[in-house]
Amino acid sequence: MSGSAPKPAVELARGNSVRFPNESAEYRRAREQLLTEEIELRRHIERVAELRRALPPGGAATKNYEFEGEGGKATLSDLFGDKQTLVIYSYMFGPQREAPCPMCTSFMSTWEAKLPDVEQRVAFVFTARSPIARLIAAKKARGWTRHRIYSDASGDYTRDYVSAEDADAPGYNVFTRRDGSIRHFWSGEMGPSTADPGQDPRGAPDIDPLWTILDTTPEGRGMDWYPRLSY
């Protein structure tokens, strides 16, 4: 890859030769302006990813967190398998819920087919506060076969890394294991307190393609609907 500075986004956009049947000059001018912003967005996403990768070491995970999976008990260290990086997605399915959170379920269903690809690079597991038998039953009901699910029965992990109040809340945490030390690397920290007016709380970039797809449509994300567990 060349070390030279990239061309200005506006210059790349002007060089775009894509045209569609019967489009107006007005449409093409507006589309060129939008393409400039899309190129800038791509570059900003990469800058953010670079900053994330350059974070200093996070706090050491010194507690002996224990989980229960489909194959029995496991520690935080066990969840890494043979990988140096571990992603844990905490989904909203605590004992007080009759059914899993539809939004968490939507995320997890999207990721089902991608897990083999992800796990070439990192370990990826899922945890919730309900007993493991309940989590297994819900997994089978969804037809999932690739998710590695674990119960955080004691809530120790959840209270430290998801919700200090042990609320039924989602969480996305990344840990590293280097030189025998397990450390927290990154967590999604965007939520209600960082939300912009008129928007649902969300992170950036979105980890669910659902929103990315809707953002390419004139309907957009909308505010009058929600993913369902069945249709």
Side-chain angles (χ1 to χ4, degrees), residues 110-183:
T110 299
W111 299 336
E112 160 85 1
K114 288 295 180 186
L115 287 173
D117 297 326
V118 172
E119 290 174 337
Q120 288 192 72
R121 303 276 292 164
V122 301
F124 197 162
V125 305
F126 303 81
T127 186
R129 289 283 283 111
S130 279
I132 187 61
R134 200 163 183 245
L135 302 184
I136 292 172
K139 173 181 172 177
K140 290 181 178 178
R142 304 308 304 179
W144 295 337
T145 61
R146 296 185 172 106
H147 293 71
R148 292 198 292 140
I149 57 172
Y150 292 88
S151 169
D152 179 23
S154 70
D156 288 344
Y157 168 80
T158 298
R159 284 186 290 272
D160 280 350
Y161 290 102
V162 181
S163 168
E165 295 78 27
D166 202 9
D168 194 28
Y172 186 105
N173 284 279
V174 182
F175 296 87
T176 60
R177 182 172 59 184
R178 306 282 194 280
D179 301 321
S181 176
I182 295 177
R183 290 183 176 275

Side-chain angles (χ1 to χ4, degrees), residues 51-155:
L51 289 170
R52 188 180 294 117
R53 291 192 294 267
L55 283 169
T62 56
K63 290 185 182 178
N64 187 31
Y65 298 106
E66 291 190 350
F67 304 86
E68 186 173 0
E70 294 172 272
K73 295 191 179 299
T75 64
L76 181 64
S77 179
D78 294 330
L79 302 186
F80 281 83
D82 61 354
K83 300 296 189 294
Q84 289 187 303
T85 299
L86 167 68
V87 178
I88 302 181
Y89 180 70
S90 299
Y91 57 110
M92 298 169 65
F93 190 20
Q96 71 276 26
R97 276 187 174 267
E98 292 184 8
C101 164
M103 187 69 76
C104 294
T105 301
S106 177
F107 286 176
M108 294 170 69
S109 295
T110 299
W111 299 336
E112 160 85 1
K114 288 295 180 186
L115 287 173
D117 297 326
V118 172
E119 290 174 337
Q120 288 192 72
R121 303 276 292 164
V122 301
F124 197 162
V125 305
F126 303 81
T127 186
R129 289 283 283 111
S130 279
I132 187 61
R134 200 163 183 245
L135 302 184
I136 292 172
K139 173 181 172 177
K140 290 181 178 178
R142 304 308 304 179
W144 295 337
T145 61
R146 296 185 172 106
H147 293 71
R148 292 198 292 140
I149 57 172
Y150 292 88
S151 169
D152 179 23
S154 70

